[in-house]
Amino acid sequence: MVRAREALDRGVSSTVLRDQMLPWTVASIVLVLAVAGTCLVLGTVTGWLLAATDLPGRRALLVLATLPLAVPSYVAAYGWLSLRPGLQGFWPTWAILTAACLPYVVLPVAAALRSADHALVEVARAAGRPPLRALVAGLWPQVVPGAAAGALLAGLYALSDFGTPSLLRHQVLTFAVQRQYGSFVGRERAALLALGLVALALVLVVAERALRGNAERWRRAAGAPRPPRPTVLGRWTLPALALVLLPAIVGAVVPVLALFRRLA
């Protein structure tokens, strides 16, 4: 705060806002929205596949789905760079951060679906809704608190991560703060950029609370909730397996194998 106040007194803020803050803030916002949105969609689908379908080996697959938590995102980025030295930009950064953050949504969604009352889906079907709309109407209100919280964690992780964007040369606010702070002549600018980073984090927290709201999403009826009746995937079993395993492959398996290959 002291450094930022010095920058305001010296008139540095206008230069920073005009030349640096705006493009780096836009890049950070785009990355956060992309990672959080992808994690929300893929994490919800993956959690449903692991909790409410007949996917074979769901317990083992749930463990595999959490593998990216054991590998820091910058280690995954370094592993991919050892395979593809020219890898850089938004899309590789988005893919690696999404793989690293997906378990933040998968785990609470799977837990919420296992304890949810699936009788509401049958009520929606009895009201005349198609199967997919009945599934969404009956289960989504019970899943949204965990899914929104997981997406918030994913967005905050993408906003605060420095290693992956710096390794992949994607200029976002964290990368800019480190570069300005390391120059020894622009620490006031680094302080202003860091304040912008804090402001974006607060916006994310407020947005998650607004999305979650204060609605009551627990069961009031007497008796135990009806357990899920596993959905038969049929010909979609192999695509579902690929979807569940893809984050572990991108975020853990391939980077670790690439690092062992370098050691060998």
Side-chain angles (χ1 to χ4, degrees):
M1 292 296 295
V2 174
R3 291 283 187 179
R5 183 56 183 267
E6 291 177 357
L8 292 174
D9 294 338
R10 295 178 184 178
V12 179
S13 58
S14 60
T15 304
V16 173
L17 291 174
R18 182 180 66 251
D19 299 335
Q20 298 172 339
M21 177 74 83
L22 183 59
W24 285 331
T25 301
V26 171
S28 294
I29 291 174
V30 171
L31 181 63
V32 167
L33 292 178
V35 172
T38 308
C39 287
L40 181 63
V41 175
L42 292 184
T44 302
V45 174
T46 304
W48 173 73
L49 290 173
L50 293 173
T53 66
D54 65 340
L55 196 65
R58 287 182 291 170
R59 291 186 178 180
L61 289 174
L62 183 60
V63 175
L64 292 176
T66 62
L67 274 183
L69 293 177
V71 181
S73 58
Y74 65 89
V75 175
Y78 183 78
W80 279 101
L81 280 174
S82 66
L83 293 176
R84 299 286 301 275
L87 205 64
Q88 61 180 356
F90 168 79
W91 293 109
T93 306
W94 163 77
I96 292 174
L97 287 178
T98 299
C101 297
L102 202 64
Y104 294 144
V105 180
V106 173
L107 293 176
V109 167
L113 285 173
R114 286 175 179 175
S115 61
D117 188 359
H118 290 254
L120 298 177
V121 180
E122 299 178 6
V123 173
R125 289 293 306 276
R129 296 195 177 188
L132 182 59
R133 291 183 61 186
L135 189 68
V136 173
L139 293 182
W140 177 245
Q142 305 177 71
V143 170
V144 64
L152 170 66
L153 288 177
L156 290 174
Y157 187 97
L159 180 65
S160 64
D161 188 35
F162 159 72
T164 305
S166 62
L167 285 172
L168 298 176
R169 312 301 296 175
H170 183 53
Q171 295 191 5
V172 291
L173 276 175
T174 51
F175 184 38
V177 169
Q178 192 275 340
R179 188 166 64 178
Q180 289 290 336
Y181 190 79
S183 65
F184 294 103
V185 294
R187 292 191 172 182
E188 295 84 1
R189 298 181 179 183
L192 284 176
L193 293 172
L195 282 180
L197 198 64
V198 173
L200 284 180
L202 291 176
V203 169
L204 277 178
V205 175
V206 172
E208 187 271 340
R209 289 183 63 87
L211 177 64
R212 180 158 43 93
N214 296 319
E216 295 181 352
R217 295 184 176 90
W218 50 84
R219 192 171 183 268
R220 286 180 173 275
R226 183 173 301 179
R229 179 182 300 173
T231 301
V232 179
L233 295 176
R235 60 178 181 176
W236 296 102
T237 300
L238 288 180
L241 282 172
L243 179 64
V244 172
L245 294 176
L246 183 60
I249 294 173
V250 173
V253 177
V254 172
V256 170
L257 291 179
L259 292 177
F260 277 114
R261 178 172 172 267
R262 288 185 64 89
L263 290 175

